[in-house]
Amino acid sequence: MNSIIRNSVLGIAGLAFAGGVAAGPLTDTHTPTVDTTPVAAMAVQADKPAVDKAKLIPHGVQGAQSRIDLSDEQVASTKAIIAATKKAGMDERAAVVSIATALQESKLENLGHLGDRNDHDSQGLFQQRPSSGWGTVEQITDPEYSTTAFLKGLKQVDGWQDMPLTKAAQTVQVSAYPDHYAQWEQQAADLVAKHWNS
């Protein structure tokens, strides 16, 4: 290894160790064929294991995919769903199914009663209904409670891990539009990959 690259690598490792900060990818104009990016990436990722993306979408996405830009509130809802999924002892795939469901039902907004625009008495991230036994209004508008309730239903679906996302979600939600969950699978997987270990 030439001494310029060796000194650069040792410098980055020392910087990461001493200050908790890693520099970006190394570039050496004298030897452009040497790729030192993995060395810098290892320093950045050492304390944050990557999510196995093959587990997030094991069956591939179905149909055209939708995507929306998220507000701070929607990102907070995403993180709340992930935290509740972990607390329930479920894996990243369960978080993908949950987030895709909430994207379809509420666009990750913790909706209260919408008056005439309400679908019966549906509320919260998952548009759960007190009259259908999901809990009180206060409970189903609590992101942890509503996610836990959704996951409890998902756990009761035999073989949900081996089903397409839209079928697993529909079995729990019993929506009038059962195929609409599929369009959010890629964004849900991207959100889980980004926030699972954050």
Side-chain angles (χ1 to χ4, degrees), residues 45 51 57 84 89 114 124 132 138-139 142 164 169 179-180:
Q45 295 296 325
V51 173
I57 307 178
L114 301 175
S132 295
E138 292 77 20
Q139 289 172 322
D142 174 81
D179 297 326
H180 288 191

Side-chain angles (χ1 to χ4, degrees), residues 145-194:
Y145 178 91
S146 63
T147 303
T148 302
F150 175 81
L151 292 170
K152 182 179 178 184
L154 188 62
K155 284 181 185 179
Q156 295 174 3
V157 177
D158 288 333
W160 70 267
Q161 301 92 331
D162 300 320
M163 292 178 181
L165 179 143
T166 197
K167 183 175 181 184
Q170 170 62 9
T171 305
V172 177
Q173 294 291 103
V174 193
S175 169
Y177 305 100
D179 297 326
H180 288 191
Y181 300 108
Q183 68 185 311
W184 300 105
E185 188 163 10
Q186 186 63 61
Q187 184 168 15
D190 292 345
L191 289 168
V192 172
K194 181 175 181 178

Side-chain angles (χ1 to χ4, degrees), residues 1-2 5 9 26-28 30-38:
M1 178 182 290
N2 92 26
I5 295 173
V9 170
L26 295 176
T27 56
D28 184 347
H30 301 293
T31 54
T33 58
V34 176
D35 181 10
T36 58
T37 301

Side-chain angles (χ1 to χ4, degrees), residues 11-75:
I12 287 173
L15 181 61
F17 178 76
V21 178
L26 295 176
T27 56
D28 184 347
T29 57
H30 301 293
T31 54
T33 58
V34 176
D35 181 10
T36 58
T37 301
V39 174
M42 283 191 298
V44 172
Q45 295 296 325
D47 62 335
K48 186 176 174 183
V51 173
D52 182 357
K53 292 187 179 181
K55 289 182 180 179
L56 300 180
I57 307 178
H59 312 293
V61 297
Q62 295 179 336
Q65 295 295 293
S66 296
R67 183 172 291 273
I68 58 171
D69 293 328
L70 301 184
S71 67
D72 291 344
E73 175 192 351
Q74 291 164 308
V75 171

